Amino acid sequence: MPQLWATDVPGHSSPGGPSSFWRLPWRGCMAASLGVLAGTALQLQQARLWPLVDVVWVGLAGLVLSLGMAWLGDRPGRRAVRLSGVGAWVLVWLLALVLTWAQLGIRAALLRDSALPEAWEGLDIEVIGRVSAMPQRLAWGQRFLLVPESAQWAGQALALPSPLWLGWSGAGDGGEAAAPALVAGERWRFSVRLKRVHGALNPGGFDHELWLWEQGVLATGQVRAGPGLPLPERLAATAAYPVERWRQRVRDAIWRHLLQGVPEGGSVRQAGVVVALVTGDQRAIERADWQVFRNTGVAHLMSISGLHITLLAWLASRAIQALWRQTARWPGWLGRACLRWPAPWVASLGGLLVALSYSVFCGWGVPAQRTVGMLAVLTCLRVAGLSWPWQQTWALMAAVVVLWDPWAWLQPGFWLSFVAVGVLFVTDAGAKGRALPQEPVSAWLQAWRAVAALLREQWVLTLALAPLTLWLFGQVSVVGLVANLFAIPWVTGVVTPLALLGCLLPPLWDAAAWAVQGLAVVLVWLAAWPGATWSVAAPPLWAGAVGLLGGVMCAGPWPGAWRLLGVPLLLPVLFWQAPRPDWGRFELLAADVGQGNAVIVRTAQHTLVYDAGPRYSPDSDAGDRVLLPLLRAAGETPDRLVLSHRDTDHTGGARALLSAFPQMTLWSSLAPDHPLRLGREHTACGAGQSWQWDGVHFAFSHPGAVALGPEPRPNALSCVLRVQDAHGVAALLPGDIEAAQELALVGQGAALAADWLLVPHHGSKTSSTPAFVAAVAPRVAVVQAGYRNRFAHPAPEVRERYLTRELRWVETPVCGAALWRSQQPDTVQCEREHRPRYWHWPLHP
C-alpha cells in the first residue's frame, strides 16, 4: 500500500522513511483540501445554526484527535500509528472536514449573535462613528458603511452591530437630512433609524441577505433629521481608512475629468467603465450597458476581474525579474543578494505584492480575494520548490479561498472562476503531454502559434463554461466567443492600462474612454444579432452538474470518441423546460417585491403578469431586480401584462418588463396620456371582459359602470381579475380597491368567491370590509407588503378579520415569494420555508 505522505512528484524531496503527520506532500494536502471544501459545503447547507457550545465541542474533539494522531505518529521509542493508502487519506479528509465545519460554525454563530435586537428596530438612535468605505453615489442620495464607536437612545448606551449599512437621501424631505458628500475616514454624529437585515427572497433571485452577511453587515438603516432629532454633524476628518480615501479621490477625479463640459445632469456612459476598472465601483456602469455586456458575455471584463489582476501581476513579475538580474553586476550586498535569492523567487513575490496592492486599492472584493489567494498558492509552491499535480494545486487554491471567505462558495463568480481555472489546467496539461520537441521557428510562426493558442483557450472556455452559465444565470451568450476574442485583448491590453496610467497622467483617461466607446460600438452590434443569447429555465442541480461534465468532456484533451460522449450530457441543461400546470389548471406566484403588487399567473401554455411591483429609486425597480430574473429562471415569456391602476407601487417595474418582452400585450386602467401607453397597443380593462387560456377562465369584474365621481382616486379604478380553473377552483386579484368598490361589487352580486385572495390594498384598513371578506371566503389570503413599511400594512384589525375565518394567512415579508397551485388549493409554498438558510431573516439566536 502506498504511504500517504510519500511523494513521487518531481521537485519535491522528502527524507528517508515515513514522513511525520504534519508534513504535507501533495497527497496529504489533497485530502486536507478536499476536506476543507466538503466541510464548507456541509456547513453552508444548514437551515439553522447549532448552539455555539455544541459547535465548540465538535471542533475541540476534532482538534484533540488531530493532536493525538500527530503525537502517536512522531513519538520516538513507541509503536507509531501510521495509516497507509485510502485509510490515511480518509482520516485526513475527515479531520479537515470536521475542523472546517466547526470553525465556520463558530464564525457564523458569533456573527449572528451580534445582530440588531428586534426591540431596537425603528428607534431613532444617536450614533457616533467613522465612514469605513468609499460611499456609493445613487440617484436618490448615497449609501455608506459606518463603523459605530458609540450609540445611545434615551440616555441609554447601546452596542450596535458593526458595520452599519446606511442610506442618506439627497432630497432632504420626508424627515431626512439632505446629504453632503461624505468622505471615507470622516467621523460623524448621526441620528439613524435601524432595522434588521431583510431582503426580498424569490426563486432564482439575488440573495441580498447573503450579500450583506458575507460583508458582516447585520443592520441597515437611514440617516434621519426632524423635530426633536439632532442634525447630522461632521466631527473630524481622521487618518482612518487611507486606502478608501485614496480610492474615493481617484474616483472623483475620473468623474470630474471625463464630465468636463458635459451639461449638468448629463453623463458620459463610458466614464462608468473607466471608474469601475480603476476603483472597482461597479455601480458607476449604467444598467443598459450591463445588459449589453451580459448579452455578449463580456461582463466579467468590466470590473476588477481575475484576468486584470493576473495580467498586472505577470507584467510586474517580468519587470522585477529583469531588474533583479541586473543587480548581480552591482558591487556590495545588493550583488550578493541577487545570488542568494534567485530572480524567479523575487519576481514571483513581487508580482504577488503588486496584485495584492491593486486588489486592496480596488476594494478587496470577492473576485480579487479569489485571484490573490490563487496567486499566493502558486507563489508559495514555486518558492518552496514544489511541483504538484494540477489537481492538488487547484484544490488547494479553492480551499484557501473558502477558508478566507467561506460564503464565496455560494457566489456564481466562485464557480465560474475555479471551473475556468480547472478547465485551463486540464487542457493545458493535455496539450503539454502531446507537445513535440521545440525547434527554432520564425517570429511569424511564433505569433501564429500564440494566436492559435488564444483561439483554442477561448473556444475551450466557452464550450466548457456554457452549461455552468446556463445553470447559474439561465442564459448564455451565443456571440460570447466572438465578443471575447476581441474584448479580452482590447480591455486587458488597451483600456485597463490606459485607465490605470491615467492616475499619473489624467489625459489618458480620455483615451481610455474613447477605447471603451469603440468597444461599445462592436458589442452593441453583436448584441443586436438574431439569437445573440440562448435562454432556458433554470435547470436543477443534477442537470447543471451533468451539463458541466459534458462541457468538460467536449472541450478536454481526450480522444474524439470521448468528446462525442459529452454531447448527450449537454442536452438536459441546454433544453431544460420548467414543468407547467396541467391543462385546465393554473398556478400563481406572489413575488416578494416589497411594498407593492406583482403576481405571476401560469397556465399550461400561457403566462400573465398582474402588476409590476414598485419603483425603489430612480435607478432601481422591481421589474429589473425581481420580476425579470424570476421569469427567466422559470423560462417564461409572458403573454399579457395587467396593470391594475397607475400607482407606482403597481407600475414601477412595467417599463423593464415591456422592454424585455415587447410581444407582451398591455391591459390596464391607465389614462390615455400615461407614458406607459404612449406608442403601444393597449386594452382598457373593464367589467364583463373575459377570455380563456388552456381551459382556465379569466374575467374582469371592475372597473365598471359604478359611479366613481368626476375625478376618481386611482385605487377606485383598480382592475379586479378573477381566475377560475376547469374544476371550479378560483383566485381573485383585486388591486387596491377600497371599501366603496368592495361594497359595490358585493351589492351587484359579482362573482367574488375564491380559494386564493390577494388582500386588497396590501391589507390597508380602508379595504377588506367584512362583507367583502365574507363574499370571497378564501382559503388562502396573501398580503404583498414591505418589511416594516411606513404605512404599517397590513393593519392589525384587518389581519384579525381574516384570521377569525380560519384560513391560511400569508405575508410576503415573512414568507418570501408565495407559490400556490389550483390543484392544491390549501397549500402555499413559501420561499423562506422551501429554501431556509441560517443567514436569512429572522436570525435565530
Side-chain angles (χ1 to χ4, degrees):
M1 296 290 289
Q3 295 292 329
L4 170 64
W5 307 119
T7 178
D8 53 2
V9 180
H12 183 280
S13 60
S14 58
S19 301
S20 71
F21 185 84
W22 292 112
R23 294 186 188 276
L24 285 181
W26 75 272
R27 289 189 178 91
C29 194
M30 180 73 170
S33 300
L34 294 178
V36 168
L37 297 175
T40 302
L42 181 64
Q43 201 277 340
L44 293 179
Q45 297 304 310
Q46 292 183 216
R48 297 285 181 266
L49 287 175
W50 285 26
L52 182 58
V53 175
D54 295 345
V55 177
V56 171
W57 276 115
V58 172
L60 288 176
L63 183 60
V64 169
L65 182 58
S66 303
L67 295 175
M69 290 298 299
W71 182 77
L72 291 173
D74 290 340
R75 188 72 172 169
R78 292 174 178 264
R79 180 179 177 83
V81 177
R82 283 173 170 78
L83 298 176
S84 298
V86 176
W89 301 337
V90 171
L91 175 63
V92 173
W93 175 83
L94 185 59
L95 292 177
L97 184 153
V98 171
L99 292 176
T100 301
W101 180 89
Q103 66 87 20
L104 179 51
I106 293 172
R107 289 171 61 182
L110 293 175
L111 184 59
R112 173 205 60 191
D113 292 344
S114 67
L116 184 77
E118 183 179 1
W120 296 0
E121 289 187 295
L123 302 180
D124 290 319
I125 301 173
E126 184 177 325
V127 180
I128 295 177
R130 286 185 172 92
V131 180
S132 62
M134 178 177 65
Q136 294 182 353
R137 295 180 177 179
L138 304 170
W140 54 267
Q142 55 191 326
R143 284 199 177 278
F144 61 98
L145 287 173
L146 185 79
V147 175
E149 298 175 354
S150 63
Q152 62 175 357
W153 174 77
Q156 176 186 359
L158 304 178
L160 298 179
S162 179
L164 304 174
W165 182 238
L166 301 178
W168 197 352
S169 171
D173 56 2
E176 299 165 353
L182 296 174
V183 177
E186 288 184 337
R187 192 165 178 263
W188 280 79
R189 177 186 287 114
F190 294 118
S191 178
V192 299
R193 183 169 293 177
L194 301 176
K195 63 180 180 180
R196 293 181 294 172
V197 169
H198 185 286
L201 199 60
N202 294 280
F206 177 68
D207 194 339
H208 183 68
E209 294 170 13
L210 172 62
W211 181 76
L212 290 174
W213 175 277
E214 189 176 9
Q215 300 178 77
V217 176
L218 292 179
T220 63
Q222 192 77 13
V223 174
R224 302 286 294 172
L229 297 176
L231 290 174
E233 179 183 1
R234 179 179 177 273
L235 300 178
T238 70
Y241 310 106
V243 174
E244 291 296 323
R245 291 202 310 276
W246 187 20
R247 288 181 67 207
Q248 187 172 354
R249 284 199 293 267
V250 171
R251 182 192 67 179
D252 295 344
I254 295 174
W255 281 119
R256 286 194 301 269
H257 182 85
L258 293 180
L259 293 180
Q260 286 180 355
V262 177
E264 185 176 356
S267 66
V268 178
R269 294 176 63 175
Q270 56 268 33
V273 176
V274 177
V275 168
L277 290 174
V278 176
T279 68
D281 185 5
Q282 298 184 24
R283 286 184 174 270
I285 302 178
E286 296 185 11
R287 183 191 304 175
D289 293 332
W290 274 123
Q291 189 61 46
V292 172
F293 298 152
R294 284 193 292 264
N295 289 346
T296 53
V298 301
H300 63 102
L301 298 173
M302 301 306 164
S303 59
I304 306 304
S305 68
L307 180 62
H308 302 148
I309 297 171
T310 304
L311 176 65
L312 184 62
W314 179 78
L315 292 174
S317 65
R318 294 297 296 268
I320 293 171
Q321 185 171 354
L323 292 174
W324 190 254
R325 284 173 173 167
Q326 295 300 319
T327 60
R329 305 176 182 177
W330 295 2
W333 65 270
L334 194 57
R336 294 192 299 273
C338 182
L339 299 177
R340 182 173 181 180
W341 292 295
W345 288 16
V346 176
S348 297
L349 293 173
L352 176 61
L353 182 60
V354 170
L356 177 62
S357 302
Y358 178 52
S359 301
V360 170
F361 171 75
C362 295
W364 194 236
V366 174
Q369 295 174 23
R370 288 195 298 267
T371 305
V372 172
M374 289 189 286
L375 291 175
V377 170
L378 294 174
T379 300
C380 291
L381 292 176
R382 184 174 187 181
V383 171
L386 299 175
S387 178
W388 283 356
W390 70 264
Q391 297 94 332
Q392 169 50 31
T393 304
W394 181 83
L396 181 58
M397 290 188 298
V400 168
V401 170
V402 298
L403 282 174
W404 177 269
D405 181 10
W407 296 282
W409 177 277
L410 300 171
Q411 303 294 352
F414 174 88
W415 292 97
L416 290 172
S417 295
F418 279 100
V419 170
V421 171
V423 168
L424 290 177
F425 270 137
V426 171
T427 55
D428 186 59
K432 287 182 178 179
R434 300 190 306 269
L436 298 176
Q438 295 294 323
E439 299 179 358
V441 295
S442 64
W444 285 104
L445 185 56
Q446 290 180 355
W448 168 250
R449 287 180 175 177
V451 172
L454 176 63
L455 289 170
R456 174 179 166 274
E457 285 189 357
Q458 191 57 48
W459 163 251
V460 166
L461 284 177
T462 300
L463 181 59
L465 293 181
L468 182 61
T469 305
L470 281 173
W471 177 48
L472 293 172
F473 304 109
Q475 72 173 38
V476 66
S477 175
V478 178
V479 299
L481 175 62
V482 178
N484 277 281
L485 285 175
F486 173 71
I488 287 177
W490 188 255
V491 174
T492 306
V494 178
V495 178
T496 302
L498 288 174
L500 293 175
L501 291 174
C503 299
L504 303 176
L505 193 62
L508 292 179
W509 284 330
D510 294 309
W514 294 334
V516 173
Q517 182 62 32
L519 175 65
V521 172
V522 177
L523 295 180
V524 170
W525 175 65
L526 288 174
W529 284 14
T533 60
W534 178 268
S535 300
V536 297
L541 177 60
W542 68 265
V546 169
L548 177 60
L549 177 62
V552 173
M553 290 185 64
C554 290
W558 334 109
W562 286 30
R563 295 187 183 185
L564 289 177
L565 288 177
V567 175
L569 301 180
L570 294 173
L571 299 181
V573 71
L574 288 176
F575 300 100
W576 178 261
Q577 292 185 354
R580 301 191 66 91
D582 297 331
W583 190 94
R585 296 288 192 178
F586 70 97
E587 68 180 30
L588 297 96
L589 180 71
D592 188 3
V593 294
Q595 186 65 23
N597 278 163
V599 179
I600 299 173
V601 185
R602 301 171 71 231
T603 66
Q605 297 181 3
H606 293 85
T607 302
L608 177 144
V609 179
Y610 182 87
D611 282 338
R615 188 181 187 188
Y616 304 119
S617 68
D619 55 2
S620 176
D621 60 67
D624 188 67
R625 283 179 51 184
V626 177
L627 296 179
L628 285 180
L630 199 158
L631 290 166
R632 286 169 178 158
E636 295 293 343
T637 302
D639 303 278
R640 184 165 299 174
L641 172 63
V642 176
L643 299 177
S644 62
H645 61 295
R646 74 184 186 200
D647 285 355
T648 55
D649 59 335
H650 298 252
T651 63
R655 191 174 300 278
L657 290 178
L658 292 170
S659 298
F661 305 107
Q663 81 291 339
M664 185 167 51
T665 60
L666 175 62
W667 291 46
S668 76
S669 62
L670 301 178
D673 60 346
H674 194 281
L676 290 173
R677 286 190 54 177
L678 298 180
R680 185 180 303 277
E681 184 179 352
H682 173 269
T683 302
C685 58
Q689 292 175 321
S690 65
W691 71 96
Q692 284 208 10
W693 279 345
D694 311 320
V696 178
H697 184 72
F698 295 76
F700 287 110
S701 57
H702 187 79
V706 181
L708 298 173
E711 295 183 2
R713 286 164 47 88
N715 290 352
L717 296 175
S718 292
C719 301
V720 178
L721 177 64
R722 186 173 182 269
V723 186
Q724 181 174 320
D725 72 4
H727 303 271
V729 181
L732 187 67
L733 299 96
D736 279 0
I737 60 172
E738 297 182 340
Q741 292 78 50
E742 292 179 354
L743 295 177
L745 289 171
V746 172
Q748 295 170 5
L752 298 177
D755 301 89
W756 186 96
L757 171 66
L758 181 65
V759 175
H761 201 183
H762 321 287
S764 168
K765 60 184 178 182
T766 62
S767 302
S768 296
T769 58
F772 178 81
V773 175
V776 179
R779 302 185 191 186
V780 177
V782 176
V783 176
Q784 288 185 302
Y787 177 67
R788 295 189 62 84
N789 63 86
R790 61 191 180 96
F791 307 102
H793 291 159
E797 56 267 37
V798 171
R799 182 188 291 110
E800 185 64 25
R801 188 175 302 155
Y802 281 96
L803 291 178
T804 56
R805 303 189 62 86
E806 298 182 357
L807 48 72
R808 175 74 185 274
W809 176 260
V810 177
E811 298 179 23
T812 52
V814 179
C815 173
L819 177 64
W820 179 84
R821 298 180 174 92
S822 66
Q823 61 265 43
Q824 298 174 318
D826 295 315
T827 304
V828 178
Q829 178 180 294
C830 288
E831 186 67 12
R832 290 189 182 274
E833 298 173 359
H834 180 65
R835 191 169 52 116
R837 292 294 183 269
Y838 61 78
W839 55 82
H840 286 161
W841 177 94
L843 297 177
H844 294 278

